Amino acid sequence: MDKKKKLRSSEWFGDDGKMGFVHRSWLRNQGYPDDYFEGRPVIGICNTWSELTPCNGHLRDFAEVVKKGILEAGGVPMEFPVMSLGETIMKPTTMLFRNLASMDTEESIRANPLDGIVLLTGCDKTTPSTIMGACSVDLPTLVVPGGPMLSGRFRGEKVGSGSMNWMIKERQENQGYSAADIREAEVCVARSIGHCNTMGTASTMATMTEALGLTLPGYSSIPAADSRKKMYAQLSGRRIVEMVKEDLTMSKVLTRNAFENAIIVNAAVGGSTNLIIHLTAIARRIGIDLKLEDFDTIGSKIPLLVNMKPSGKYLMEDFYYAGGLPVVMKELTPLLHKETITVNGNALIANYTDAVCYDTDVIAKLEKPFQDKSGIAVLRGNLCENGAVIKPSAASPKLMKHRGKAVVFETMEDYHERIDAPDLDIDENSVIVLKGVGPKGYPGMPEVGNVDLPKKLLAKGITDMVRISDGRMSGTAAGTVVLHVSPESTVGGTLAIVENGDWIELDVNERTLHLDIDQAELDKRKKAWIPPKPVADRGYVKMYIDHVEQADQGADLDFLVGGSGSKVERDLH
Ligand code: FES
């Protein structure tokens, strides 16, 4: 850092008059000595710990370890809580609150005497929400990902949190699993502290964070219960103090090339489609122009290097023992932007040159991948004017080009009410169309896009059908599922006017999604379309509905895009 550049915290603590007294005096009740206010970098530890977010339940302990590192390096740690988002608990969906948590993070950082930030994250939305908020302030910031759970075993079988939900449902229906069986299974699968241990959204977000350069290299794959996780947390505490001295702000790390690296790495690990929405929102906060097509052009030619559930065989613990993300990064060297700067101050690839693969059944060589192409396909057509996405590696090859008649459900409730009606006119060639689950419609764009097939078709042995919606899909789910249709039905996108029996054509190779009705009929239906009544008329949910952007833009609130920086002009008196 330029020697003349004062610490931001000195704006609070460096004043010899009344305001300096006020800012320091009340903090003295914590027993802080004089030197805490005399030029030592103040590091905010932004903690998403909550008993209501079980995946982040260990982060209170981790904050103490980070503090040790900060003190060792001469900084002053100050931990603060922000809104936490427990994926399996919150209704109607944590995605409704991602932007609220990001506002909390942003304003908690900006309003306080902080020089650098450590974000403690874990469960799905706690990572993008805090990164988005921190981007809008743009201080030196480092992420400590909480880490995945250890692998579980249920009656001798290795089981993954997240993906086991689908297995239990299937066994309840086909193997008569009782309530007692389910109780036994739930204890086995949630084996230790940490977040879901498949390559679902939480692991995808941790991987994204490391690929962007925001964590210490090698940190994202370590299981939460592994002692090395705490060691890295302590080292992160030490490093953030140095980052403040170097003035290594987020915008210096989060370049356009860093975002491209995150897309490449996500494709190589078979990460969740949720990455698209979160990475886009993060990019827009830090001023990088990332388009929906970038995910396809950059990611869809990348080979799949990781054999992980939900599409593969292994769990995060196996991935870590096989060498973890460092091996993937090293393999991807010819494809990545090598010179992007990471939080340890090194160029990205320099961090991974020594990585060793210990199990090629878990992490493949670039020249012998598990699949030649991975990533996400972006679809265009009259049914998704601003785009839609599909994950080809999770879809059935025979359905990648498909023409079928629409079976339409206007809302999620309509779907639940009619999907198993004996007289529902549906067969395996039909296309299930679900409306009203987009950002404004549900509201919050829940992970329901991979709706279950009707029982009568499951009984015939049908395991996949084309499903289309304006919602999202869990990172632990699979199927020929078209997601994130934009504009969503609630704002009058073409999805809104699809009727039962309309022909729909999906061609993933050609990247098209087409509603086969003539233009005059389409225009007539759009003219006659009546918007649904908003589901809330007060509070945060109303503000969310009024301001949330569409999926192709990252579903942020329109007034949160960009940042306000770290300067606060006015004092409290
Ligand atoms: Fe928290 Fe899966 S429920 S990461």
Side-chain angles (χ1 to χ4, degrees), residues 8-15 19-20 23 110-114 568:
R8 181 174 181 266
S9 57
S10 68
E11 302 269 332
W12 279 258
F13 301 138
D15 173 58
M19 290 320 301
H23 294 314
R110 185 180 298 110
N112 283 301
L114 304 173
V568 183

Side-chain angles (χ1 to χ4, degrees), residues 53-56 85-88 122-124 149 161-162 194-197 201-203:
T53 307
C55 305
N56 297 18
L85 305 171
E87 197 65 27
T88 53
C123 199
D124 296 11
M149 294 181 210
S161 55
H195 59 66
C196 288
N197 53 16
T201 304
S203 299

